[in-house]
Amino acid sequence: MAPASPLSRRVRSLVVAFSVFALTVLTSNASNASWQTWGPYRPNLYFGVRPQVPETLLMGLMWASGDSRDKLLSTLRDTCEQNDGMRGYGWTYYDTRLGGSQTMHDTQLQLDLDTDFLKTEDGATWAVRITGTPDPSAPDVNTSVILHVAVENVTSNGPKSLVCEKQTEGKDGIEAVCRGEIAALGELELNVLGDAMNNLVYNTAVKSVQVPEDKIWQAKSVFIDHLRALPGNQMTLEDAAGAGNMHFVQLTFQGPFKLMLTYHGVEATPLNPNTVESGLSSLRSTFPSTVDRVFPRSSPFQQDKYAKFTQEILSNLLGGLGFFHGDTKVDYSNATEYLETDLDFWLKAQAAMARAPITTTAPLTLLTHTPSRPFFPRGFLWDEGFHLLPVIEWDLDLAVSVLQSWLNLMDEDGWIGREQILGPEARSRVPAEFHVQYPHYANPPTLSLLFPILISKLAGTSPYAGHPSTYLSSPDDASRMLKDLYPLLARHYQWFRRTQAGNFTGAYPRPEGAIAGEGFRWRGRTPMHCLTSGLDDYPRANPPHPGELHVDALAWVGASANALQQVARHLGEQADADMYEKHVAAVKHNLDALHWDAANKTYCDATIASDNYTLVCYEGYVSLFPLLLGLMDADHPNLPAVLDLLSDPAKMWSDYGLRSLSAADPNYGKDDNYWRGAVWMNLNVLAVLRLRDVGLQNPAGQGRTPVQTRALSLAAQLRERLVNTVYNSWEQTGFFWEQYSDKTGEGTHSRAFTGWTACVILLLGLQFDKTTVGRGMDIASLGSSSSTLSFFWCR
Ligand SMILES: *[C@@H]1O[C@H](CO)[C@@H](O)[C@H](O)[C@H]1NC(C)=O
Ligand SMILES: *[C@@H]1O[C@H](CO)[C@@H](O)[C@H](O)[C@H]1NC(C)=O
Ligand SMILES: *[C@@H]1O[C@H](CO)[C@@H](O)[C@H](O)[C@H]1NC(C)=O
Ligand SMILES: *[C@@H]1O[C@H](CO)[C@@H](O)[C@H](O)[C@H]1NC(C)=O
Ligand SMILES: *[C@@H]1O[C@H](CO)[C@@H](O)[C@H](O)[C@H]1NC(C)=O
Ligand SMILES: *[C@@H]1O[C@H](CO)[C@@H](O)[C@H](O)[C@H]1NC(C)=O
Ligand SMILES: *[C@@H]1O[C@H](CO)[C@@H](O)[C@H](O)[C@H]1NC(C)=O
C-alpha cells in the first residue's frame, strides 16, 4: 500500500461521520464566501491562514527541534526571519485562487518542511498538508509541530466561539477537532489528521487557553510561556482541550512525517487527503503551462530552467498577499509647520512632530501584496502599483480587489498613508519611530499605472490570458467598478496636487515660459532623505529649500493625469477627460520648462540659490522619470540625451541593469548607499517597457527613426541583463533580493524580496520587433502619445 493510505482510510470514515453531523445537527448561515475568502493571508508567518474578514479566525504553524526542551524553545519557527538558518523558503507553485506548495529548507533543523495548501473556489473548505522530510544525514531527527488557531475579539461582531477536543488515540487518524461559529463565516470545523507514517513520538497535546486580546496574534510567546510553566524538561504542552480563544495542537515526530489540517463550513464536505493530493497534483501539473501561457518566454529565456524561475517568482509575489486589519497611528495635528514654507522647514516640522498628539485611528482593512515577508510584511503604496503589474496579467479580478482595497483606505481629503502598519501585529515588525503616518506626506501614486492597463484590457486593445475575469465578461460589472474607483482616483490626484504643490506665488523666481502651478515638491524632506519620494537617500538639493521643485513628483502627476484621462474617456466623461488631457500636456511642457538643464542635457530637480532659480542635477533614476512615466514621445528633442545618460557605462549603464545613481556622481555609493548606485528592478523594468514603447511608436506612419532603433536596442539589451541578474542570484542563493549590486550583480539588502523584483517576469517574453508583438496586437497602430500608456505592458 502507498504510504498515504492509512491516512486516507481514516479520512474516509471521517467524511462519513461529518456529513451525518452536518445533516442532522447544524444549520449554517447563508455563506457569502468566495475564492478570495480564505488563504495564507498572514505572509509574515512561514505559514498562516486567515479569511479576508476582520476579527475572525487566525491560524498558524510553528515548528522546532523535538530533541530537548531547550532546543525546542531556541529553534521555534513562527514569523519569517532573515537569519534563522533557512537555506531558502517560499512557494514553488502558488495560485491565489487555488493554493500551492511551499518548502522551507530548514538546514539548522536538518529538515525540509512543506506546506501544501489547497482551497475550494466556493470558499467553504481548505486544507494544509504539512510534510517533514529529514535530511538524509539525519533520518531520525525529532521535530515538534505546533498548529494554532485563535479567535479575535470573541465578544465583537456577532457570535464567535471555538471549542477543541482531543480525539481518543488513533481514532480515524484524527488527533483533534475544533468546532465553532464565527458570525461572518457560519458554523465551521477544523480537524487535525495525524501522522500517516506512525512516526509520532509523543502523544498529541491539545491545549485551549484564554488569552488577552493583545496576545491573540502572539501564539509563539503564549506557547513558550505555557511550556516554560511546565515542570522538568517536558517538551509538550499538557492536554487541556476545551473552550478558549487560542488553541494549540502539538505533535512531535521522529523521522519523516505528514499531517493535515482541514477547515470546512459545516455544510461543506471536508477535503480529505485524497482530494488534497489530487487537487495539488492537478494544480502542480497545470501551473507550469498556465504560467507559460500568461507569461510566455522568448529567446534567450526559453530553456526549462527559466520556467521554474518564472513559476517561483510569480508564486512568491502571489504568496505575499496579506489581509490586514487594525488601527494605525496618525498625526492629525495639521501643524502649520507641515506646510514647510520656511527656510529651515524640516527642523521646524521635526519640532512640531515631537509635540504633536498622535491619534490611534479606528481599524482599517487592507488586502495587499507585501514587498518582503521577513522584512516588509505590510502594505506600501509605492510598491503595490508595481506588484500589481504582473498580478493584473495573471488574475485581473484579484488585481482589482487589491486596487479597491487600497483606494478605499483614502480619507475624505484624498490622503492614503504611504505605509500601512495596521494593528499591533504589523506594528511589532516596525521600529516605533516609523509608526506614525502624516497626512501631508505623499508617496508615488503607483496605482495610477494600473488604470491604463485595466482600460486597455476592458476595451480589448491588449490581450489577457489570465484567470477568467468577471469584469472582462460583464461590461456592467466593469463600469460599476470603474465608476466607484474613478472618484477615488480623482480625489487622491487632487489631494496630491494640493498638498505637494510647488510654490508659484511669486515668492520665488520661476523660468519664463513655465506654466504656473504645474510644478511639485515632495513634502517630508530632510537634508539626507526624501522618504516620501520612495527614493529615500537619492541626492537632492542640499540644504532643502521651500522653493524646490522635484522632477519625479511632476512626472507622477503626469502619470496620474494620464490614468484619469483614460478612465474618464472610457466612462464617457468627456469634459473631465479633456481637462486631464490638458494637465498631461501642461506637465509635459513643464518637465522641459522647469526641469530640463540645457547645459548638462539632463532632467534635474530645481531649487533657489542666491534668489535665482537653479537646477540641481544628480544624474540617475530621477533624471529618467519623464521617460519612465510615459511623458516623452519618440520625437521628443531631449530623448537622445536621455538615452545617452542611461546607456553610458560611466554613468547609469551597468552589466546588471541601470544604476540608481550615476557612477560619475560624487554621491555614488556614499552614506546609506540605498538609492545611490544599486540596481532596482521596479524602475529598470519600467525603463525596458518604456524604451520599447518609444521604439515601437509610429505616430506619423513613417518608418522607425534612428533614435527609435536605438531605444529598442537598449531595451533589448537591458531586458537580458535584468533577467540574468535576478536569475543568477536566485540560482546561487535561493532568494530574490531587494536590489542588486551594479558591480557584481549580487542580491543586496533584504532577501526573500519578491515584491517588485517580481516585475522582471514581464520581461521574459518581451519581443522588440513590431512584426512579432504577439497575439495579433499591432502596437504601433495605437499611435499617439496619450494612448501610449495603455499598451506598453503588452507582449
Ligand atoms: C459576508 O457578508 C457580511 C455582511 O455583509 C460581511 O460582514 C462578511 O465579512 C462577509 N463575509 C465574507 C466571507 O465575505
Ligand atoms: C477588537 O475590538 C477592539 C474594540 O472594538 C478594537 O479596537 C480592535 O481593533 C479589535 N481587534 C481586532 C484585531 O480587530
Ligand atoms: C529523538 O526522540 C527519541 C524518542 O524520544 C529519542 O530517543 C532520541 O534520542 C531523540 N533524538 C535526539 C537526537 O535527541
Ligand atoms: C490644514 O490646515 C490648513 C491651513 O493651515 C487648511 O487649509 C487645511 O484644510 C487643513 N487640513 C486639514 C485636513 O484639516
Ligand atoms: C510661498 O512662499 C512664501 C515665501 O516663503 C510663503 O510666504 C508662502 O506662504 C508660500 N506659499 C505657499 C502656497 O506655499
Ligand atoms: C551642469 O552644468 C554646469 C554648467 O555647465 C556645470 O558646472 C555642472 O558641473 C554640470 N553638472 C553636472 C551634474 O554635470
Ligand atoms: C541671480 O540672478 C541675477 C539676475 O536676476 C544675477 O544678477 C545674479 O548674478 C544671479 N546670481 C547667481 C548666483 O547666478
Side-chain angles (χ1 to χ4, degrees):
M1 267 208 186
S5 64
L7 186 56
S8 330
R9 218 181 318 118
R10 290 169 197 151
V11 166
R12 232 169 285 130
S13 40
L14 171 76
V15 173
V16 174
F18 286 129
S19 39
V20 172
F21 183 64
L23 283 172
T24 56
V25 187
L26 296 160
T27 53
S28 161
N29 295 346
S31 172
N32 51 351
S34 74
W35 66 268
Q36 291 212 43
T37 305
W38 287 100
Y41 302 139
R42 304 179 76 193
N44 58 319
L45 305 184
Y46 283 115
F47 186 79
V49 177
R50 64 161 302 153
Q52 286 184 26
V53 179
E55 302 187 37
T56 44
L57 210 67
L58 304 179
M59 179 268 154
L61 164 72
M62 300 189 283
W63 75 97
S65 165
D67 287 343
S68 70
R69 171 142 97 180
D70 284 349
K71 262 186 101 174
L72 192 158
L73 290 170
S74 67
T75 61
L76 191 57
R77 278 80 164 93
D78 169 41
T79 51
C80 300
E81 297 296 336
Q82 291 273 85
N83 303 306
D84 56 8
M86 298 282 167
R87 200 185 71 239
Y89 62 89
W91 296 91
T92 45
Y93 60 97
Y94 178 75
D95 183 333
T96 318
R97 284 187 191 238
L98 304 168
S101 180
Q102 182 182 220
T103 299
M104 269 74 74
H105 301 288
D106 195 335
T107 36
Q108 189 192 1
L109 298 189
Q110 301 177 284
L111 180 86
D112 275 359
L113 191 88
D114 292 342
T115 60
D116 295 333
F117 177 78
L118 189 76
K119 62 182 181 179
T120 50
E121 293 216 34
D122 61 4
T125 65
W126 56 266
V128 54
R129 185 181 63 189
I130 298 148
T131 310
T133 310
D135 192 279
S137 68
D140 292 328
V141 70
N142 295 320
T143 311
S144 195
V145 175
I146 301 111
L147 299 166
H148 51 91
V149 184
V151 181
E152 291 177 293
N153 271 357
V154 169
T155 52
S156 73
N157 286 2
K160 283 182 202 169
S161 63
L162 195 63
V163 178
C164 294
E165 226 181 277
K166 183 173 168 171
Q167 297 303 96
T168 51
E169 222 173 302
K171 182 176 172 266
D172 296 336
I174 305 172
E175 301 288 332
V177 178
C178 303
R179 299 188 180 94
E181 182 176 4
I182 307 274
L185 301 167
E187 305 209 36
L188 55 91
E189 186 165 307
L190 293 147
N191 293 285
V192 177
L193 311 183
D195 180 27
M197 299 162 191
N198 292 320
N199 282 334
L200 273 176
V201 180
Y202 300 111
N203 275 339
T204 300
V206 183
K207 185 171 174 70
S208 303
V209 298
Q210 188 69 35
V211 299
E213 205 54 40
D214 66 355
K215 283 279 184 183
I216 207 81
W217 52 272
Q218 303 186 52
K220 179 174 176 175
S221 89
V222 174
F223 175 84
I224 287 175
D225 289 349
H226 280 277
L227 193 64
R228 282 224 168 99
L230 294 177
N233 275 323
Q234 222 158 303
M235 283 169 49
T236 52
L237 295 174
E238 81 282 23
D239 270 317
N245 61 355
M246 186 175 281
H247 308 265
F248 295 97
V249 179
Q250 184 182 4
L251 307 95
T252 304
F253 303 96
Q254 185 166 26
F257 59 88
K258 196 174 265 204
L259 69 149
M260 199 166 105
L261 173 76
T262 66
Y263 164 94
H264 63 109
V266 291
E267 291 191 336
T269 307
L271 294 172
N272 66 50
N274 288 338
T275 41
V276 169
E277 183 60 50
S278 64
L280 287 167
S281 75
S282 92
L283 180 56
R284 189 170 44 237
S285 63
T286 54
F287 190 74
S289 54
T290 315
V291 175
D292 279 348
R293 193 187 69 229
V294 180
F295 300 105
R297 287 171 287 115
S298 60
S299 172
F301 302 117
Q302 281 147 326
Q303 280 163 283
D304 284 349
K305 61 179 192 172
Y306 295 105
K308 184 160 177 282
F309 167 77
T310 311
Q311 290 157 31
E312 277 203 22
I313 201 162
L314 173 69
S315 297
N316 286 293
L317 169 66
L318 297 172
L321 184 70
F323 181 84
F324 301 90
H325 176 77
D327 53 34
T328 179
K329 308 285 182 192
V330 180
D331 173 350
Y332 280 120
S333 66
N334 193 21
T336 52
E337 289 87 345
Y338 298 166
L339 294 172
E340 301 188 350
T341 48
D342 292 348
L343 281 177
D344 55 352
F345 65 83
W346 66 98
L347 298 173
K348 289 190 165 134
Q350 268 165 22
M353 283 172 186
R355 26 170 219 274
I358 303 305
T359 304
T360 301
T361 67
L364 300 172
T365 296
L366 177 64
L367 179 70
T368 186
H369 298 88
T370 49
S372 145
R373 290 169 60 194
F375 211 68
F376 302 111
R378 54 188 171 275
F380 289 82
L381 184 57
W382 159 225
D383 296 64
E384 194 56 27
F386 289 101
H387 298 161
L388 293 180
L389 296 177
V391 172
I392 198 170
E393 303 291 343
W394 177 255
D395 191 336
L396 186 137
D397 291 7
L398 172 62
V400 168
S401 293
V402 173
L403 272 177
Q404 288 169 324
S405 185
W406 268 100
L407 291 173
N408 282 323
L409 288 175
M410 191 181 299
D411 70 6
E412 281 177 17
D413 275 355
W415 172 65
I416 305 174
R418 67 190 175 93
E419 191 171 347
Q420 294 293 327
I421 315 169
L422 306 183
E425 183 172 13
R427 272 198 291 281
S428 72
R429 308 299 296 266
V430 186
E433 68 261 37
F434 299 116
H435 286 179
V436 179
Q437 300 297 303
Y438 293 91
H440 63 296
Y441 280 3
N443 212 201
T446 57
L447 300 178
S448 300
L449 297 175
L450 273 300
F451 284 86
I453 301 168
L454 185 58
I455 299 287
S456 71
K457 299 211 184 290
L458 292 172
T461 54
S462 95
Y464 176 73
H467 276 289
S469 156
T470 53
Y471 299 111
L472 292 185
S473 57
S474 160
D476 283 353
D477 285 350
S479 91
R480 235 188 328 273
M481 173 268 291
L482 275 180
K483 278 182 180 141
D484 285 347
L485 294 183
Y486 173 59
L488 294 173
L489 198 60
R491 196 201 298 165
H492 184 57
Y493 174 74
Q494 293 302 343
W495 171 87
F496 192 104
R497 293 184 66 89
R498 201 166 61 239
T499 58
Q500 313 300 304
N503 192 327
F504 285 84
T505 59
Y508 304 114
R510 299 300 184 205
E512 252 175 71
I515 297 167
E518 206 65 57
F520 299 88
R521 166 168 76 106
W522 298 109
R523 301 304 193 270
R525 274 212 55 191
T526 64
M528 293 299 284
H529 294 104
C530 183
L531 301 183
T532 45
S533 72
L535 305 174
D536 298 24
D537 64 337
Y538 191 98
R540 308 269 182 177
N542 199 358
H545 193 282
E548 258 170 60
L549 297 174
H550 298 129
V551 62
D552 50 335
L554 177 58
W556 280 112
V557 167
S560 303
N562 203 342
L564 278 158
Q565 186 265 126
Q566 294 196 38
V567 178
R569 197 77 74 201
H570 186 85
L571 290 175
E573 303 286 348
Q574 299 304 348
D576 285 12
D578 293 346
M579 175 186 80
Y580 291 123
E581 202 171 346
K582 288 201 183 96
H583 288 192
V584 176
V587 168
K588 286 181 173 176
H589 176 88
N590 270 8
L591 282 170
D592 294 330
L594 292 172
H595 292 291
W596 177 250
D597 183 331
N600 292 303
K601 293 195 178 306
T602 189
Y603 287 101
C604 309
D605 286 343
T607 190
I608 305 299
S610 317
D611 292 331
N612 288 358
Y613 189 81
T614 306
L615 292 170
V616 187
C617 302
Y618 298 101
E619 290 181 324
Y621 288 167
V622 161
S623 332
L624 302 186
F625 267 87
L627 173 69
L628 295 179
L629 294 181
L631 300 161
M632 293 182 89
D633 292 329
D635 56 358
H636 194 293
N638 298 338
L639 186 59
V642 171
L643 300 188
D644 288 345
L645 167 63
L646 71 79
S647 63
D648 184 346
K651 292 184 167 180
M652 294 186 72
W653 189 256
S654 87
D655 288 347
Y656 309 99
L658 299 179
R659 297 182 182 101
S660 39
L661 188 64
S662 159
D665 190 282
N667 299 287
Y668 167 76
K670 296 280 165 61
D671 300 312
D672 295 355
N673 193 18
Y674 198 37
W675 291 86
R676 292 194 173 189
V679 174
W680 291 79
M681 289 301 153
N682 60 334
L683 296 181
N684 266 286
V685 168
L686 216 46
V688 173
L689 296 170
R690 294 303 185 184
L691 286 168
R692 174 175 176 277
D693 177 16
V694 159
L696 294 176
Q697 276 178 5
N698 192 8
Q702 291 144 5
R704 197 168 289 161
T705 64
V707 69
Q708 285 185 296
T709 303
R710 188 175 168 212
L712 279 180
S713 150
L714 290 169
Q717 293 173 57
L718 185 56
R719 162 185 177 258
E720 287 193 25
R721 285 171 194 221
L722 299 175
V723 174
N724 286 331
T725 299
V726 177
Y727 177 84
N728 291 337
S729 169
W730 170 75
E731 197 180 41
Q732 279 158 25
T733 65
F735 285 104
F736 301 104
W737 293 80
E738 182 175 5
Q739 42 162 243
Y740 293 86
S741 162
D742 61 307
K743 297 191 189 79
T744 63
E746 282 169 294
T748 46
H749 262 267
S750 311
R751 62 179 209 187
F753 193 102
T754 37
W756 63 35
T757 297
C759 286
V760 295
I761 201 175
L762 296 165
L763 304 185
L764 282 146
L766 210 62
Q767 298 184 6
F768 297 90
D769 182 340
K770 184 185 158 205
T771 58
T772 56
V773 167
R775 288 208 281 279
M777 217 183 70
D778 185 359
I779 271 188
S781 72
L782 288 173
S784 83
S785 59
S786 64
S787 64
T788 55
L789 274 170
S790 68
F791 63 84
F792 87 113
W793 300 112
C794 309
R795 291 172 300 279

